[in-house]
Amino acid sequence: MNNKLQMIENRLDELTASCGALHPTVCDAMRYSLLDAGKRVRPVFTLSFCEALGGDAESALDFACAVEMVHTYSLIHDDLPCMDDDDMRRGKPSCHKVYGEAVALLAGDALLTLAFGTIAQCKTVSADKIAAAAAELARLSGAAGMVGGQVIDLDSEGKSVPIETLRVLDAGKTCALIEAACVLGCICADADEAALSAARKYASGVGMAFQIVDDILDVTGDEAILGKPVESDAGNNKSTYVSLMGIEGASAEARRYTQEATAALDVLGGECEFLKDFAQKLLYRIS
Amino acid sequence: MNNKLQMIENRLDELTASCGALHPTVCDAMRYSLLDAGKRVRPVFTLSFCEALGGDAESALDFACAVEMVHTYSLIHDDLPCMDDDDMRRGKPSCHKVYGEAVALLAGDALLTLAFGTIAQCKTVSADKIAAAAAELARLSGAAGMVGGQVIDLDSEGKSVPIETLRVLDAGKTCALIEAACVLGCICADADEAALSAARKYASGVGMAFQIVDDILDVTGDEAILGKPVESDAGNNKSTYVSLMGIEGASAEARRYTQEATAALDVLGGECEFLKDFAQKLLYRIS
């Protein structure tokens, strides 16, 4: 695990240091939000699926970094005043609090663009895999995936939404990018349809559990450990698993999703222990 | 020309209608800004370079649409209150005036994402060309290109900047995406290095002329024909070719750049008349 995290950290540093920015400020803002921050959950999924399916984690490193760039751009834009208006992120002031709204907006745009540039220029895989990975990442992070979920989220603010809407919202906002992370690792390792399907089920279960735990931590968590304010959902009048099912009910739901996720990996055979343990670790995380 | 415009319009409609958005509003906002609007200068470059180099324009259509999506996302984000705060665009209220800032931000994100998804899923070219096109578009529209130019633009507001800074700014903000448009057409047509280099020179000349004419029209243009307010540069305290060189000097500069652009095409031989005429047409445009 530490080895994977170090690989990801180093490569994110390299990719942004050499991005050729025409103005230093945009590069600074990109690196401020991207580096030394975050749990790197998504890129770890990419490397781990590649390894579990017999590939070399190193070959999936650029795909993994691309997914983390998409995640980071979405946080930068999500924190803007016209969105969630959050001042703190990953234990430090959010990008727009340091660089201003306009630069934060553009740094997010540049990170999203660099994500696809990183996939397109990846030297460790074939052009076929590059095209397949870019197509999956675009589908799952755009209007049909992550961004679509964010728009449902906006539309749900200040309303009491039924659990079914919350599931669609979270499938888009949270699960879709986790699915991209897992699938991109599979693509690197030449996965067959059965493995891809198992990865998508795992991602869906882990993603839903991840979001529910997020909702729980927003109520029970420690602000200093989380690195962001708690009770923001209640403040923003958002329906969450906790507001709809209570903490006990939501916890049971998160355990059920995690169980589904790990069960989905059984078809893959031997090398999935790390991914199963990782799902459990995410279930019992405190930040 | 009309045939090209019709092809582009139809394909942009198809690509956004079938983007699978999880919420209708994000799709509406994307289509509001993308369809029935704009001069389609960039996609016309893509189709025309492909044809001029012996390729089939149809095969370059998805690449052309991807470039137009990147252009449109940049306009949506540029119009936001934290950026230029423009209420009108392409003859109608800007995206955020109709859909609100948050949806406009996300619609821009979704269009940028769909641009790369469209390239990645293009059925008319090989995976090698998809990877090459995505790499060029990412490099030229990100921190090293268009977004980089926008950050220089922000940094130049309210200052008198020297002409050298203005050239770097416009090379990023305007020329880079026009270069991507031309180069993507070349990639479709299997262009050699000499043709690519000619396309880059043409794009640079046409792009600089295009920006200078924009600056001139901001002073001399008709608001109703332009579809956006005039004198916005003066209002935003921006240095432009007109403020630095006067209208006469700026016009001469635009003619010189257009001349350089058309001369660059001479190495390509016969089929470049359309591109040469198009450069002249853009020089003498009134909107």
Side-chain angles (χ1 to χ4, degrees):
Chain A
M1 180 74 174
N2 282 338
N3 185 33
K4 284 193 182 76
L5 291 174
Q6 198 56 59
M7 281 168 66
I8 293 162
E9 225 47 52
N10 292 345
R11 188 64 182 147
L12 287 172
D13 183 11
E14 277 174 17
L15 288 165
T16 49
S18 62
C19 75
L22 291 183
H23 193 290
T25 302
V26 68
C27 189
D28 292 349
M30 292 161 78
R31 290 166 62 83
Y32 172 79
S33 290
L34 186 68
L35 303 181
D36 305 320
K39 297 179 282 291
R40 309 307 188 200
V41 172
R42 291 157 194 80
V44 167
F45 282 134
T46 309
L47 301 186
S48 304
F49 263 97
C50 182
E51 270 187 343
L53 297 172
D56 175 10
E58 191 85 38
S59 74
L61 186 54
D62 283 1
F63 285 6
C65 290
V67 176
E68 187 68 6
M69 288 176 193
V70 170
H71 176 55
T72 303
Y73 113 76
S74 79
L75 299 180
I76 296 175
H77 282 186
D78 219 35
D79 287 342
L80 285 170
C82 71
M83 297 277 294
D84 282 356
D85 195 13
D86 281 322
D87 290 355
M88 293 293 288
R89 171 68 72 178
R90 292 173 164 178
K92 53 188 187 182
S94 9
C95 193
H96 68 274
K97 297 303 286 183
V98 179
Y99 293 95
E101 286 180 51
V103 170
L105 172 67
L106 291 169
D109 292 342
L111 273 174
L112 173 55
T113 307
L114 185 60
F116 286 101
T118 299
I119 290 179
Q121 294 199 278
C122 177
K123 302 286 179 232
T124 52
V125 300
S126 67
D128 282 331
K129 290 180 180 178
I130 286 173
E136 286 281 349
L137 183 59
R139 186 176 61 82
L140 290 163
S141 68
M146 185 182 73
V147 171
Q150 288 174 295
V151 177
I152 301 176
D153 202 10
L154 282 174
D155 193 37
S156 306
E157 251 171 62
K159 295 181 197 168
S160 173
V161 302
I163 194 92
E164 295 73 29
T165 304
L166 203 58
R167 284 190 221 277
V168 180
L169 191 171
D170 292 334
K173 199 178 77 162
T174 307
C175 300
L177 192 60
I178 291 178
E179 182 179 332
C182 298
V183 166
L184 263 57
C186 293
I187 290 172
C188 273
D190 286 311
D192 59 17
E193 276 306 316
L196 271 172
S197 160
R200 292 190 202 278
K201 277 186 205 147
Y202 173 87
S204 166
V206 166
M208 291 302 283
F210 192 86
Q211 184 57 52
I212 295 169
V213 172
D214 241 32
D215 293 351
I216 295 171
L217 289 173
D218 190 62
V219 177
T220 66
D222 182 314
E223 200 156 309
I225 298 174
L226 284 174
K228 60 182 179 182
V230 296
E231 307 208 335
S232 69
D233 293 329
N236 290 335
N237 250 323
K238 284 192 181 181
S239 291
T240 70
Y241 284 89
V242 175
S243 73
L244 294 180
M245 311 179 82
I247 290 180
E248 282 306 307
S251 299
E253 192 84 343
R255 286 195 299 277
R256 186 178 67 73
Y257 276 118
T258 302
Q259 170 57 27
E260 280 182 20
T262 56
L265 297 182
D266 287 338
V267 299
L268 297 181
E271 304 301 318
C272 298
E273 282 316 306
F274 179 86
L275 284 164
K276 290 184 179 180
D277 290 350
F278 194 41
Q280 295 294 332
K281 250 179 88 174
L282 291 173
L283 178 62
Y284 295 109
R285 71 196 163 96
I286 56 168
S287 76
Chain B
M1 181 74 175
N2 282 340
N3 185 33
K4 285 193 182 76
L5 291 174
Q6 199 55 58
M7 281 167 65
I8 294 162
E9 225 49 52
N10 292 347
R11 189 64 181 146
L12 288 172
D13 183 11
E14 276 175 17
L15 288 165
T16 49
S18 63
C19 75
L22 292 184
H23 193 292
T25 302
V26 67
C27 189
D28 292 348
M30 291 162 78
R31 290 167 61 84
Y32 173 79
S33 290
L34 187 67
L35 304 182
D36 305 318
K39 297 180 283 291
R40 311 304 189 202
V41 172
R42 291 158 194 80
V44 167
F45 281 135
T46 308
L47 301 186
S48 305
F49 263 98
C50 183
E51 270 187 343
L53 296 171
D56 174 11
E58 191 85 37
S59 74
L61 186 55
D62 283 1
F63 285 6
C65 290
V67 175
E68 186 68 6
M69 288 176 193
V70 171
H71 176 54
T72 303
Y73 113 77
S74 80
L75 299 180
I76 296 175
H77 282 185
D78 219 34
D79 287 341
L80 285 170
C82 72
M83 297 278 293
D84 282 357
D85 195 11
D86 282 322
D87 290 354
M88 293 292 288
R89 170 68 71 178
R90 293 173 163 178
K92 53 187 188 182
S94 9
C95 192
H96 68 275
K97 296 305 286 183
V98 179
Y99 293 95
E101 287 181 50
V103 170
L105 172 67
L106 291 169
D109 292 343
L111 274 174
L112 173 55
T113 307
L114 185 61
F116 286 101
T118 299
I119 290 179
Q121 295 198 276
C122 176
K123 303 287 178 231
T124 52
V125 300
S126 67
D128 282 331
K129 290 180 181 178
I130 286 173
E136 287 281 349
L137 182 60
R139 187 175 61 81
L140 290 163
S141 68
M146 185 182 73
V147 171
Q150 288 174 295
V151 177
I152 301 176
D153 201 10
L154 282 174
D155 193 37
S156 305
E157 252 171 62
K159 293 180 196 169
S160 172
V161 302
I163 193 94
E164 295 73 30
T165 304
L166 203 57
R167 284 191 221 276
V168 180
L169 191 171
D170 292 333
K173 201 179 75 163
T174 307
C175 301
L177 192 59
I178 290 177
E179 183 178 330
C182 298
V183 166
L184 264 56
C186 293
I187 290 173
C188 273
D190 286 311
D192 60 17
E193 277 305 316
L196 271 172
S197 161
R200 291 189 203 279
K201 278 186 205 148
Y202 173 86
S204 166
V206 166
M208 292 302 284
F210 192 86
Q211 184 57 53
I212 295 169
V213 172
D214 241 32
D215 293 351
I216 294 171
L217 289 173
D218 190 62
V219 177
T220 65
D222 182 315
E223 202 156 309
I225 298 173
L226 282 174
K228 61 183 179 182
V230 295
E231 307 209 334
S232 69
D233 293 330
N236 290 334
N237 250 321
K238 283 192 180 180
S239 291
T240 69
Y241 283 89
V242 174
S243 72
L244 294 180
M245 310 178 83
I247 289 179
E248 281 304 306
S251 299
E253 193 83 343
R255 286 194 300 275
R256 187 177 66 74
Y257 276 119
T258 302
Q259 169 57 28
E260 281 182 20
T262 55
L265 298 182
D266 287 339
V267 300
L268 297 181
E271 303 301 318
C272 298
E273 283 315 306
F274 179 86
L275 284 164
K276 289 184 180 180
D277 289 349
F278 194 41
Q280 295 295 332
K281 248 178 92 172
L282 291 173
L283 179 62
Y284 294 109
R285 71 196 163 95
I286 57 168
S287 75

